[in-house]
Amino acid sequence: MNEEELDRALRGISFRPRATLAPELLGRLRRGERPKGAVPPRRRGPPLAALAAGLVLATAAALALQATPSVEVDRCCYDLDGGGDADDGVLIHAEPDARVHRLRVYEDRDGSGGYSALDLIRLDRRGEPSMEGPPGQD
């Protein structure tokens, strides 16, 4: 056989996978078989489980902290500073019918009729009340 005949014979060869190749490969993957020489997958069991448990606990803690309902009440516009214009408002963050967490008095500079980032805060009070005893003693 000369070179031309050999070249013609090689060009006439075609390779086609057998019909059962795809189902065989899928079955091997489902069973967890890996190709020869492939690097085995890293074990992530305990550290991944610990991370998942930590996320569950953190989520539960965050939800427990948010379980106390709170409301924000914005009342505008009054003349609280005696300037004549009804441009002052009060912003209260509290539990319904209970403890006040934050009290703000602001000047509605942008005329929006409520608190916005452009407004000037005149008083910002958090936490416990400033008066310890009954009024009028000091």
Side-chain angles (χ1 to χ4, degrees):
M1 184 181 282
N2 66 23
E3 239 181 90
E4 289 178 13
E5 291 173 347
L6 179 61
D7 189 44
R8 218 173 321 163
L10 288 175
R11 288 185 192 272
I13 297 174
S14 64
F15 295 95
R16 280 180 254 132
R18 63 183 187 275
T20 60
L21 181 62
E24 181 182 339
L25 290 176
L26 290 174
R28 287 182 178 203
L29 286 174
R30 276 190 218 113
R31 289 189 300 271
E33 289 183 32
R34 299 283 174 224
K36 290 181 183 175
V39 177
R42 291 177 33 189
R43 300 282 180 194
R44 297 183 188 194
L48 189 58
L51 178 64
L55 287 174
V56 168
L57 289 174
T59 303
L63 289 175
L65 289 175
Q66 290 180 351
T68 305
S70 62
V71 294
E72 192 166 272
V73 179
D74 186 357
R75 294 291 182 247
C76 187
C77 291
Y78 305 99
D79 180 20
L80 299 175
D81 59 4
D85 293 332
D87 62 349
D88 305 313
V90 179
L91 188 63
I92 301 168
H93 182 78
E95 297 168 26
D97 300 322
R99 182 171 177 242
V100 174
H101 298 285
R102 189 172 193 175
L103 169 73
R104 286 178 164 179
V105 177
Y106 64 91
E107 184 176 331
D108 185 25
R109 288 216 166 156
D110 62 355
S112 63
Y115 178 72
S116 67
L118 299 175
D119 295 336
L120 178 65
I121 301 290
R122 297 283 184 187
L123 172 77
D124 191 356
R125 183 81 179 128
R126 295 180 189 225
E128 299 301 318
S130 57
M131 295 175 55
E132 295 292 326
Q137 283 190 344
D138 261 334

